[in-house]
């Protein structure tokens, strides 16, 4: 039974079991789930695109809001709107995403019934490239995405604000103004680009942690993604499914960090030149 479910032979020496396990991993054989009686690879292969969808959309929206808001606050440093929006960003950033998720679920799903309280799509709707299916998918994903966006944009917006304020005081920005460059070009290609660079690595690492961060979120919204099945594996002691979840999350973080390390020099030329140049554009 053990050999059938986790692809190892318990009567063999440990090193043989270890080799057997890695050979099965190389062939994407993660064993069979005790609870669902299905291949672990098949379960996560079906769930992974949905988790990447909600967490990817949430990351893109929160990143766009934080970059725009941070740059706006830097240009209005010290004003009333700067104090108000900075305080609002700190407040939203201090709320855990699962608390926001429960709040949104109670208000918009159970109280007013504006959004569904679970599942990826409605019962009976056929999957396909149709507008009805696309809208239904977005309708079910709206609250999980919103809970992440509302609690994630504040911290990055404040970091973007600090970076932009630092960039605004650089000498090369004064040179750009003396050269007569348009203010729009200075804001986008000089201020925004150089201010975003310090948070690039943190963004890539957060991409890797997206799958791990979805565990509680998908359980709250009963959204069948990687986190949902991983949480179920823990509660039902489904060890093959649990090990598969750990491996997926671990590899996602390793891949994201590796990509960040390999591409940072391309994004910021100062990293490749040892910081000799103070201007990235």
């Amino acid at each position: 039974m053990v050999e059938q479910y986790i692809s190892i032979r318990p009567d063999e020496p440990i090193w043989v079991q270890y080799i057997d396990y890695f050979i099965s991993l190389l062939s994407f054989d993660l064993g069979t789930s005790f609870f669902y009686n299905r291949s672990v690879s098949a379960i996560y292969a079906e769930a992974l695109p949905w988790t990447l969808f909600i967490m990817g959309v949430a990351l893109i929206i929160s990143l766009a809001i934080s970059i725009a808001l941070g740059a706006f606050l830097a240009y209005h440093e010290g004003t009333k709107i700067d104090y108000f929006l900075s305080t609002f960003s700190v407040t939203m950033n201090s709320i855990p995403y699962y608390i926001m998720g429960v709040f949104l679920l109670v208000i918009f799903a159970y109280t007013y019934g504006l959004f569904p309280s679970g599942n990826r799509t409605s019962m009976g709707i056929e999957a396909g490239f149709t507008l009805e299916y696309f809208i239904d998918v977005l309708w079910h994903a709206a609250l999980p995405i919103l809970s992440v966006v509302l609690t994630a944009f504040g911290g990055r917006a404040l970091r973007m604000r600090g970076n932009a304020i630092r960039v605004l005081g650089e000498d090369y920005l004064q040179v750009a103004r003396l050269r007569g460059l348009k203010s729009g070009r200075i804001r986008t290609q000089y201020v925004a680009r150089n201010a975003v660079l310090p948070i690039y690595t943190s963004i890539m690492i957060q991409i890797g942690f997206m799958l791990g961060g979805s565990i509680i979120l998908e359980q709250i919204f009963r959204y069948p993604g990687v986190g949902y099945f991983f949480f179920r594996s823990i509660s039902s002691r489904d060890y093959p499914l649990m090990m598969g979840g750990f491996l997926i999350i671990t590899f996602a973080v390793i891949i994201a960090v590796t990509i960040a390390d390999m591409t940072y020099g391309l994004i910021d030329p100062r990293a490749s030149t040892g910081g000799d140049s103070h201007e990235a554009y």
Side-chain angles (χ1 to χ4, degrees):
M1 180 177 177
V2 173
E3 182 177 355
Q4 177 184 357
Y5 277 93
I6 57 178
S7 303
I8 63 172
R9 291 170 290 177
D11 54 339
E12 295 291 339
I14 293 295
W15 65 271
V16 175
Q17 297 179 34
Y18 200 66
I19 292 175
D20 288 345
Y21 178 69
F22 269 93
I23 291 175
S24 63
L25 289 183
L26 293 176
S27 60
F28 299 101
D29 181 8
L30 302 179
T32 304
S33 168
F34 297 157
F35 187 77
Y36 295 100
N37 197 26
R38 292 179 57 199
S39 166
V40 172
S41 301
I43 293 174
Y44 282 123
E46 181 182 331
L48 185 60
W50 295 96
T51 297
L52 293 178
F53 167 66
I54 61 169
M55 300 305 287
V57 172
L59 179 65
I60 292 172
I61 295 176
S62 64
L63 187 61
I65 294 175
S66 59
I67 291 176
L69 180 61
F72 176 81
L73 294 178
Y75 272 96
H76 296 81
E77 181 190 9
T79 62
K80 290 183 180 179
I81 194 168
D82 177 31
Y83 290 128
F84 173 76
L85 292 178
S86 296
T87 304
F88 179 72
S89 298
V90 171
T91 303
M92 298 304 293
N93 189 57
S94 62
I95 301 175
Y97 69 88
Y98 47 87
I99 298 296
M100 180 61 73
V102 172
F103 176 78
L104 294 176
L105 193 64
V106 170
I107 298 297
F108 295 105
Y110 293 125
T111 303
Y112 295 104
L114 299 176
F115 292 94
S117 60
N119 296 322
R120 298 182 296 218
T121 58
S122 301
M123 294 288 292
I125 190 168
E126 295 185 3
F129 293 99
T130 62
L131 181 61
E132 180 186 10
Y133 179 72
F134 182 71
I135 293 175
D136 190 70
V137 168
L138 288 178
W139 186 45
H140 283 75
L143 290 184
I145 292 174
L146 187 61
S147 63
V148 176
V149 170
L150 290 177
T151 56
F153 81 89
R156 280 194 291 266
L158 294 175
R159 286 196 293 273
M160 179 66 187
R161 174 184 178 276
N163 294 336
I165 290 174
R166 177 182 55 79
V167 172
L168 286 172
E170 295 287 349
D171 294 336
Y172 63 80
L173 211 62
Q174 302 297 329
V175 175
R177 293 193 182 97
L178 293 175
R179 289 167 57 191
L181 298 180
K182 295 181 179 179
S183 59
R185 182 180 177 184
I186 294 175
R187 289 183 181 183
T188 56
Q189 297 186 348
Y190 283 76
V191 179
R193 182 173 179 178
N194 287 282
V196 167
L197 292 176
I199 63 175
Y200 171 74
T201 304
S202 66
I203 293 171
M204 292 301 295
I205 293 174
Q206 286 180 354
I207 292 176
F209 280 100
M210 282 194 310
L211 299 182
S214 67
I215 296 174
I216 300 177
L217 182 73
E218 292 180 354
Q219 181 61 27
I220 291 173
F221 290 101
R222 291 185 296 156
Y223 195 87
V226 172
Y228 175 85
F229 288 107
F230 187 73
F231 189 92
R232 287 300 177 94
S233 71
I234 297 173
S235 59
S236 61
R237 297 188 179 183
D238 190 341
Y239 295 111
L241 192 61
M242 194 186 308
M243 291 171 64
F246 276 125
L247 283 172
I248 291 174
I249 294 172
T250 301
F251 276 110
V253 174
I254 292 174
I255 292 172
V257 173
T258 303
I259 293 175
D261 188 52
M262 295 177 65
T263 58
Y264 192 82
L266 301 175
I267 301 298
D268 187 357
R270 293 172 294 185
S272 302
T273 59
D276 293 336
S277 173
H278 295 289
E279 184 176 356
Y281 181 78

